[in-house]
Amino acid sequence: MIRKNQTLARVSLFRSLSKEEIAQLDARCVWRRAQEKECILNYKDDSADIYFVAYGDVRVSIQSVAGKDLMLRVIKEGEFFGELSALDGKPRSAAIHAITDTVIARMSPAIFREVIHHYPNVCDQVLETLTGEVRRLTTRVNEFTNLDVRGRIHAELLRLARSDSGGENRGVISPVPTHAEIASRVSTHREAVTRELNRLERAGLLERRRGAFVLLDLAELSASVEAAR
């Protein structure tokens, strides 16, 4: 699996590069496979390389004072992580674990800086990613500050949903995250998520299908989040 997926052509950051340029960068990376649930980076790790996910998905998490794991986001195939330490040389601000079997490329900070200075499109994408991360974290801080558990669960469901062919006011979440995963994302416990999902189902706002949750009224869920602020 590693050799088949061992190319940065699978990473959207390098979409503007030629096959020859990508092949040159492939050779300058260290490639490895991480197994499901394997820790790739620890919080406060003092390494500074940047990582590119060529295959599989990983999760970003931090640990609360009480020792509970709080998931910040999922980094999917074709995305990257570790850019902050690669740019400022400071310890890692979160831990990274493989969700699935994963193939990743590790690039040194020196090579990464060379790439973003040499390719304007890559530089622009990195800047857009960093800006998006600031906006995303600002939104999460706002939610944790102003929303109760129900509101945070609704906001997370809306964030996970993508368009559904059944109508523009409907959304689908697939694959279905476990109740524990949703709880980790919104800093609550699994039982609270189970109760709220059951309540949404009884209210006709959520439908469970094989391998998917269908949100039947996005406008209603959005309105409930706004009302809770």
Side-chain angles (χ1 to χ4, degrees):
M1 182 177 70
I2 291 184
R3 289 188 179 277
K4 177 182 177 182
N5 299 302
Q6 192 171 303
T7 175
L8 296 175
R10 302 176 64 88
V11 178
S12 60
L13 185 65
F14 304 108
R15 61 193 174 201
S16 64
L17 276 61
S18 68
K19 291 182 179 179
E20 292 75 18
E21 291 170 323
I22 288 176
Q24 290 173 5
L25 289 179
D26 286 345
R28 302 179 73 184
C29 292
V30 176
W31 293 85
R32 61 164 289 199
R33 173 180 176 175
Q35 296 183 336
E36 180 182 352
K37 298 183 179 180
E38 181 180 340
C39 180
I40 300 171
L41 282 175
N42 283 307
Y43 174 62
K44 292 294 186 182
D45 188 296
D46 60 2
S47 65
D49 294 334
I50 184 170
Y51 292 78
F52 303 95
V53 183
Y55 177 87
D57 299 329
V58 304
R59 62 181 173 88
V60 185
S61 62
I62 58 174
Q63 201 169 71
S64 69
V65 175
K68 184 168 65 175
D69 200 39
L70 175 61
M71 183 187 298
L72 297 180
R73 61 173 295 212
V74 172
I75 296 175
K76 296 183 175 296
E77 181 177 306
E79 299 180 341
F80 56 92
F81 61 90
E83 70 278 7
L84 296 183
S85 292
L87 291 172
D88 66 12
K90 295 182 179 179
R92 307 293 180 177
S93 56
I96 307 289
H97 289 79
I99 296 176
T100 64
D101 285 353
T102 307
V103 175
I104 52 178
R106 192 177 83 235
M107 180 184 287
S108 73
I111 296 175
F112 180 53
R113 284 182 174 273
E114 178 185 325
V115 169
I116 60 179
H117 288 154
H118 187 72
Y119 298 106
N121 181 267
V122 173
C123 181
D124 287 345
Q125 288 186 74
V126 171
L127 291 174
E128 289 175 8
T129 298
L130 293 175
T131 301
E133 189 70 4
V134 171
R135 292 184 183 278
R136 186 187 66 80
L137 290 174
T138 299
T139 298
R140 293 293 293 270
V141 169
N142 182 283
E143 290 173 0
F144 279 101
T145 302
N146 297 305
L147 297 181
D148 58 13
V149 170
R150 175 176 291 180
R152 297 201 302 273
I153 293 172
H154 291 185
E156 189 61 31
L157 292 175
L158 288 168
R159 193 163 25 245
L160 292 171
R162 52 183 172 79
S163 299
D164 179 50
S165 58
E168 63 180 25
N169 194 36
R170 293 159 59 106
V172 62
I173 300 172
S174 180
V176 177
T178 67
H179 294 189
E181 288 171 345
I182 297 174
S184 174
R185 289 172 179 262
V186 301
S187 190
T188 188
H189 48 83
R190 180 180 56 80
E191 292 77 11
V193 173
T194 299
R195 285 196 299 269
E196 184 55 26
L197 293 179
N198 289 340
R199 192 193 69 81
L200 290 173
E201 190 172 19
R202 291 193 301 271
L205 296 175
L206 182 145
E207 178 182 302
R208 302 174 198 257
R209 294 180 185 170
R210 185 173 182 178
F213 286 160
V214 180
L215 306 182
L216 301 174
D217 193 335
L218 297 177
E220 177 66 22
L221 278 178
S222 297
S224 72
V225 172
E226 290 304 313
R229 293 187 188 277

